Amino acid sequence: MSGTSVCGGAVIVTNPRSGGGKCARYGVVQRAEGMGAQVWMTSAGQDAASLARDAVRAGARVLGVAGGDGTVSAVAAVAAGTDRPLVVVPAGTRNHFARDLGLDVRDPGLALGALADGEPVRVDLGTVGPRIFVNNVSFGMYADALLEPGYREDKQRAFAAVGPAYLKGEQWVKARVDTPRGTVESPQVVLVSNNPYHLATPRRLGYRLSLATGTLGGIVLKRPAHPPPDLLRHLRDQLWRHEHGPFPADQGALVWSAADITLHGDMEQLDAGIDGEAVRLPLPVECSIRPGALRVLLPKGRPGHCQQ
């Protein structure tokens, strides 16, 4: 498909609210339509997944998505399920998936270049039960912050509201997670990512250097029984050093990679965040990786590089 224009058979599913209206500010709709693509916008009555399914039924050969990571995840699931290539337009606030694809997140419209002469790349997708995730599934402090009123408008306030109880050991994930070093009971944070995050160097902290390793990344943070005075710095240092030696079981941080990661518990459901969207998942929670499940069309001349 590289080098072939697909504009006439493309539908771009767009969330006009993402990124505080980033699509409008950067003229994404006009730029896409100027290239011959159709633009379908989400609304109260039609979400991103339903629009993507409608586009496939209408004969779309390529699916595009302009929005935040939650919108991208919804359309990516349809694209993978129908073997349609996906064009990702980074029109959200954080744009983690687009960033790790190597796209220019400063101007979302530049990603539309993939419609005219896209480079096809295969990347992995994570699954949690029947659901797809492009970035991560989180449990504990981050998942609780998502449930705070006004999280989208003031994320710092939301984390400040839920963080102290976790740092003091008064709140935890009401589950246990299987790890290579045994089962961890009641951690404060569990993060399962679609491919491992880079943690060894501060400059690249939180990036995924590849989206095609065929493995999930697992991070567990558990408050030590005798925490040091600066617990946050201690946990951060443990994460940075995880690649350089064995994990000391009483130090609070564990990082690993695996094809499957499972959480067990005695409760029926567990609060979680999937690509930044608050959900409630039945226990046990089983996460797995689907290697090469998604075809992505990437513009040439992008600033980053998606490793395969």
Side-chain angles (χ1 to χ4, degrees):
M1 185 175 293
S2 180
T4 302
S5 175
V6 296
C7 301
V11 172
I12 313 295
V13 176
T14 303
N15 184 343
R17 298 175 301 280
S18 292
K22 189 174 285 187
C23 282
R25 291 200 305 276
Y26 287 90
V28 169
V29 174
Q30 294 83 356
R31 292 161 79 172
E33 291 177 341
M35 298 180 70
Q38 297 183 51
V39 178
W40 295 6
M41 293 193 181
T42 61
S43 64
Q46 287 191 299
D47 60 21
S50 64
L51 286 176
R53 289 190 291 266
D54 288 346
V56 170
R57 285 192 288 266
R61 293 185 290 112
V62 174
L63 289 175
V65 56
D69 287 319
T71 304
V72 171
S73 182
V75 178
V78 177
T82 58
D83 197 29
R84 296 307 197 271
L86 183 70
V87 173
V88 177
V89 180
T93 302
R94 302 297 182 185
N95 303 302
H96 293 291
F97 186 60
R99 179 198 67 189
D100 293 343
L101 285 172
L103 297 175
D104 190 336
V105 299
R106 296 167 298 180
D107 182 354
L110 295 176
L112 294 169
L115 292 172
D117 193 15
E119 176 187 351
V121 172
R122 284 272 182 184
V123 299
D124 305 337
L125 289 175
T127 68
V128 52
R131 301 186 59 156
I132 292 290
F133 60 95
V134 296
N135 290 326
N136 60 54
V137 184
S138 59
F139 307 88
M141 185 166 63
Y142 179 60
D144 275 7
L146 288 172
L147 295 171
E148 281 289 304
Y151 167 80
R152 299 291 176 194
E153 293 73 28
D154 192 348
K155 295 180 181 180
Q156 186 173 357
R157 184 207 58 78
F159 279 106
V162 304
Y166 280 94
L167 293 174
K168 294 175 183 177
E170 299 169 352
Q171 185 63 277
W172 54 86
V173 180
K174 296 176 176 62
R176 52 191 180 274
V177 56
D178 297 334
T179 80
R181 298 184 181 275
T183 300
V184 177
E185 301 272 356
S186 305
Q188 269 62 45
V189 173
V190 178
L191 185 70
V192 180
S193 58
N194 170 26
N195 284 261
Y197 288 113
H198 179 74
L199 301 171
T201 54
R203 188 175 67 86
R204 302 293 288 176
L205 184 69
Y207 281 72
R208 288 168 294 176
L209 303 185
S210 174
L211 291 169
T213 67
T215 59
L216 299 170
I219 298 175
V220 169
L221 301 180
K222 183 176 174 67
R223 185 178 187 272
H226 304 287
D230 192 340
L231 178 58
L232 286 177
R233 174 174 292 185
H234 172 78
L235 293 175
R236 182 200 64 190
D237 292 344
Q238 288 298 318
L239 289 175
W240 285 357
R241 291 198 295 265
H242 83 277
E243 295 176 346
H244 306 292
F247 168 71
D250 62 344
Q251 293 302 299
L254 174 58
V255 180
W256 77 103
S257 59
D260 303 282
I261 296 176
T262 302
L263 284 77
H264 308 274
D266 300 323
M267 301 178 64
E268 291 187 1
Q269 295 180 316
L270 191 64
D271 288 331
I274 300 180
D275 288 337
E277 302 293 332
V279 298
R280 186 158 286 172
L281 299 174
L283 284 162
V285 176
E286 298 178 348
C287 302
S288 62
I289 195 80
R290 290 176 56 190
L294 179 65
R295 283 192 292 157
V296 181
L297 291 179
L298 298 175
K300 295 180 179 178
R302 61 193 179 276
H305 177 64
C306 178
Q307 296 183 15
Q308 299 183 68

